[in-house]
Each structure stands twice: as structure tokens, then as C-alpha cells.
Amino acid sequence: MTLPPLILWFRRDLRLDDLPMLQAALASGHPVIPVFILDHETEALGAAAKWRLGLGLAAFAERLEGVGARLILRRGAALAVLESLIAETGAAGVLWSRLYDPASKARDSAVKAALKARGLRADSHAGHLMHEPWTVETGQGGFYRVYTPYWRAVRGRDVAIPVAAPARLPVPDLWPSSDRLEDWHLGAAMQRGAAVVAAHVHVGEAAAEARLARFLTDRVDRYAIARDLPGEAGTSNLSENLTYGEIGIRRVWHAAMVAFERGSVGAETFLKELVWREFSYHLMHHTPQITHANWKPEWDHFPWQGESAAVDAWRRGMTGEPFVDAAMREMYVTGTMHNRGRMIVASYLTKHLMTHWKLGLDWFADCLVDWDPAANAMGWQWAAGSGPDAAPYFRIFNPATQVEKFDPKGAYRRRFIAEGQRAPGAEALAFYEAAPRSWGLDPSRPYPRPIVDLAEGRAQALAAYAARGEGVA
């Protein structure tokens, strides 16, 4: 007797390598129907993330065809779509990989309860993280609020050995109908910026695996130093692929451990960054308000400003501070931003411009192809001082001294800032192709003067901190 199929509900796990839900389905002996649902939660993605998701889905559909399967696309509320597919196919249940942001958890809990009430299989699996957030506890049984103790708690933990992708998938005799990906128009909001960013993305499992191999061969030994130098190709760039699950975190961890065990100087720093990602999810699970409200409620009455002409200049990469502007323009040209740049632009917005971190968080969510709900939230609150494990709230990065320290030869600035150059490079000019026409930008114009004096901005922020009743060291 032919077993009924199982629906594999894909979300941020667009791979076949080391995917626990897939391994569970294969072990059951049931044929599988891979499905992606464009539901309300997915429709809410920012312009760049939604466009990049579309590219990932196209690549994953091709990957599935290579193992004898298909990707079924449906649009609508997740539960309604799944119930419709179950009725059409006679599926015995649904399997998926867990997500941890508040909206996804609420949706998934409702789906699981409804399907189980009907006597159907509804199983959630690990796959996006190495350690499920509730499995890492302090000695008192609570969750970790500071990174360093969290790192100490997990660095010696076993991480399951990755399981290779299957050569073929067991599939049903009849397939349900599918939407056409192009009819979803996932890239519509990117407008002309899509053509610029497209040259910089690396989409799919094969591209992610090649990226990891290149990093471990060419860059990991210098990573501890090079990761802070935006003018140098010193990072893994895997954030783009990890956010869509095009490579499994366990695969990355074990590959980096091989480098660490052979004595690579930078490998431990890289491993700590992977755990930093885990820590952000640990916090989002235990304190979901981190995604939308001050993690420290005592910051609720801090006099951050809202929208302003200065915020517009920040968004447009026209603040007159080269490090800030180069980083913002990098985001429009490549869809990502160097980690050091992210810290500088966030500190500048929240401290020199005294602007609420939520405006920056929302802008990044709209513009980054590697947007991640946990990392983005923790990063912005860390920089603003309102979040967990933050640098001292009164630490204010000076973008002028930072750029001299981390871009001393100006490579990063020249790469993305065209003004003042006799022959600007292609990427510096590409910024003007990616930016909205409504901004009215022109590379022939002089570079803007600083919109705020750095010393005055710092003094204003420190005065605001003092007014909160906080001592300043």
C-alpha cells in the first residue's frame, strides 16, 4: 500500500543538506511534497529581503528538480493553504523547521494546534540554529542575558554532525497545482535597485557552500583582524545564505572547527560570531519584545527624536561623514553592509543624531538582503544602549576616528563615494543607479558638509544620558 504524502513546509531553510525535517520525513518512508507559502508574515518582508527570497526560491526549485521533486508555491494564510493541500493530496501531515520571531511562533503554534486537533501529524524541527533557545540555561535555570557567559556555556557542547543531502526524494504520483513564482512579483518594491544589487548576491546551496570553502581557504586565518577592515575582503559573507537557510549552521560550525583544530588563528573568532548569532535568537525567544521595544524598559522615556531632515540625509548616505556614507551606500549597491559599518551607522543615528533606533531597524529591514530578525534587533539595540549585553550606553563611536583606524588608506571610501574622485569606480557610481530618483542625487555635485558637528553631537547625547540620572564614566 502506498503511504500518503507528507508536506514539507519550507520557509527559511531553502536547502536539502543537513535538514532535520527532511531527514525525519525520509525516515518515515512517506513520499514528500515540498511547499512554500507566501503568507501574511512573508508578505511583510522588506523590499530587499523579499526580492532576495524570490531568487532563493527559484534556485531551490531548480535544486529540487535535480532530485526528482518540485516546489509547490501557494499564496494565502498558512493554515488555510495547508488544509487545502491536505484535502487535495490526502497528506498525513506537515513538517517544518522552527522559526523564533514572535509572528512566526504565533502562526506556527496555531497551525500545529489546528492540525493536531484533526489527528494529523504536525511536527516542528530544529534546523535554523545549533542549539534550541530553551536548551541553554544558566545555573539558576534562567536564560542568558550576557553574551560571554552564553559563549562559555555552549562552546564545548556537541553540535550534531551534518547529514548530507539525499540523491533523490520520494515523491507522490500526482502533484498538486502550483502558483508561478513570477506572478508573485516579489521584487517589485526593489524597482531599479534590483539590477544593481543582483551583481553582488550569491544564491542557493552551491553558492553558499562555495562561499564557505573560499572563506576557510583564503580568509579565516586573518579573520580576527580583517573582519574589522571594510576595505578588505576579510569576512565570510555567509549572512546572506544563512538567513534563507541555503546553508546549515551546523555545516558551517563543523567546517570552522576543522580550521580551529588545525590551529587557524582566526577560526575561534569566527566560531564566536556564529555563537553571537545563536545568542541573538536565544534572546529573541526569551524576550520577544526585543524586536520592537526597548529591551531595557528604563529607556522608554529617553528623548530620542523621530523623523527629520538629518534622518533623510543618513538614509541617503549624505551625512558628510565618509564612514557613515560609504556604509549606507554599500547597502544600496550590494544589499549588505560590512559589520564595522553597521556599528558606525547605528551609533551615529542613535547618538550623534539622537534618533530612535527603531527608525534604523526598520530601514535596515527594508534594504538588507541578509536581513535577520534576531541579529537586526539585537544589533540596533546594542548600538543604541537600550539592549542586552550592550557596550556602555555612553560609548559613542566617532566615525572620523573610526574611519582613520579601520580604513586608513581610504579603500572603502573610494569604493563607494564618487564625489571628489576624478574617475570614480563602478560601484561608487552604481549607488546613483540604485538610489531612488526622487532623491535627486548627482555624483558631479560636491560631497556634502557634515550635517552635525561630531563634538556637539556627542555632547548632546551625553547630556541626555546625564538627564536620565545615569552617571557617565
Side-chain angles (χ1 to χ4, degrees):
M1 181 180 295
T2 302
L3 293 172
L6 290 171
I7 292 171
L8 300 183
W9 180 18
F10 285 88
R11 293 95 67 84
R12 288 181 174 267
D13 49 0
L14 303 181
R15 69 181 186 278
L16 299 180
D17 179 71
D18 193 40
L19 190 60
M21 78 157 174
L22 175 58
Q23 294 149 23
L26 294 177
S28 75
H30 289 255
V32 298
I33 302 175
V35 172
F36 185 90
I37 301 170
L38 182 59
D39 59 4
H40 171 76
E41 289 76 12
T42 310
E43 294 267 23
L45 288 172
K50 193 185 297 185
W51 168 76
R52 176 57 176 81
L53 172 64
L55 300 183
L57 290 172
F60 187 52
E62 185 175 345
R63 176 79 171 96
L64 285 169
E65 289 175 7
V67 295
R70 302 179 188 177
L71 181 62
I72 302 302
L73 304 175
R74 293 288 180 95
R75 190 175 202 160
L79 178 57
V81 169
L82 291 170
E83 289 179 329
S84 177
L85 283 167
I86 290 167
E88 294 172 37
T89 64
V94 183
L95 282 66
W96 63 86
S97 302
R98 296 186 193 102
L99 296 175
Y100 307 89
D101 61 282
S104 295
K105 286 169 66 176
R107 173 196 61 195
D108 296 354
S109 294
V111 166
K112 179 176 283 191
L115 295 182
K116 282 186 174 293
R118 292 180 50 186
L120 295 164
R121 183 172 175 180
D123 298 342
S124 59
H125 294 267
H128 202 60
L129 302 174
M130 293 183 288
H131 309 290
E132 295 301 88
W134 52 88
T135 67
V136 184
E137 293 183 331
T138 66
Q140 293 73 42
F143 68 95
Y144 284 93
R145 298 169 179 267
V146 178
Y147 168 75
T148 300
Y150 181 89
W151 159 252
R152 292 178 184 142
V154 304
R155 64 183 176 185
R157 277 194 172 199
D158 288 337
V159 174
I161 301 298
V163 178
R168 301 289 292 180
L169 291 185
V171 298
D173 294 330
L174 296 174
W175 287 94
S177 64
S178 173
D179 292 355
R180 297 195 316 158
L181 182 60
E182 55 268 33
D183 291 340
W184 284 0
H185 302 292
L186 295 179
M190 279 287 282
Q191 301 181 34
R192 63 180 188 153
V196 175
V197 179
H200 299 274
V201 296
H202 291 68
V203 182
E205 280 188 86
E209 291 164 5
R211 235 177 191 169
L212 175 61
R214 186 166 55 249
F215 171 69
L216 294 174
T217 300
D218 301 336
R219 302 180 185 178
V220 70
D221 290 342
R222 274 184 45 79
Y223 179 75
I225 296 172
R227 64 183 294 269
D228 277 323
L229 305 176
E232 184 174 325
T235 63
S236 74
N237 299 121
L238 283 168
S239 59
E240 175 192 353
N241 307 107
L242 284 168
T243 196
Y244 302 99
E246 293 171 341
I247 193 167
I249 187 66
R250 302 190 304 197
R251 179 70 66 191
V252 179
W253 175 267
H254 280 285
M257 280 297 295
V258 171
F260 174 69
E261 289 165 359
R262 70 165 167 78
S264 172
V265 176
E268 184 177 25
T269 303
F270 181 65
L271 291 168
K272 287 180 177 180
E273 290 302 306
L274 298 180
V275 172
W276 179 259
R277 175 181 180 270
E278 295 275 311
F279 181 55
S280 70
Y281 274 87
H282 180 80
L283 288 171
M284 185 171 67
H285 170 76
H286 289 288
T287 55
Q289 72 274 14
I290 194 173
T291 62
H292 60 272
N294 293 316
W295 193 80
K296 296 175 180 174
E298 59 266 30
W299 284 78
D300 287 350
H301 301 292
F302 187 74
W304 272 312
Q305 298 175 20
E307 293 287 358
S308 66
V311 175
D312 281 340
W314 175 85
R315 288 193 180 109
R316 298 175 186 187
M318 290 287 175
T319 68
E321 291 299 334
F323 204 165
V324 174
D325 295 339
M328 296 299 289
R329 297 181 190 195
E330 178 190 17
M331 180 166 63
Y332 306 132
V333 172
T334 71
T336 63
M337 185 187 295
H338 192 276
N339 182 63
R340 175 60 55 173
R342 296 186 200 215
M343 289 191 288
I344 299 308
V345 302
S347 175
Y348 182 82
L349 182 71
T350 60
K351 293 176 176 176
H352 282 97
L353 299 186
M354 290 290 291
T355 299
H356 201 296
W357 56 266
K358 186 72 164 52
L359 272 68
L361 176 140
D362 289 343
W363 191 246
F364 270 27
D366 205 39
C367 297
L368 288 170
V369 299
D370 66 350
W371 174 80
D372 177 282
N376 194 41
M378 190 165 72
W380 272 98
Q381 295 223 43
W382 184 93
S386 59
D389 202 34
Y393 63 88
F394 51 81
R395 179 182 296 168
I396 302 171
F397 288 113
N398 183 316
T401 57
Q402 287 279 308
V403 80
E404 291 302 324
K405 182 177 181 181
F406 295 109
D407 187 36
K409 296 183 179 179
Y412 186 59
R413 285 164 282 177
R414 287 192 301 274
R415 182 182 173 192
F416 292 109
I417 297 179
E419 298 97 319
Q421 294 194 61
R422 183 172 298 175
E427 289 175 315
L429 294 173
F431 162 65
Y432 295 90
E433 293 299 319
R437 286 192 176 92
S438 61
W439 289 359
L441 304 180
D442 184 345
S444 66
R445 294 177 181 172
Y447 184 65
R449 296 178 60 83
I451 60 173
V452 62
D453 180 86
L454 294 179
E456 291 179 3
R458 172 183 167 81
Q460 181 183 18
L462 292 176
Y465 299 148
R468 287 181 63 240
E470 300 279 7
V472 177

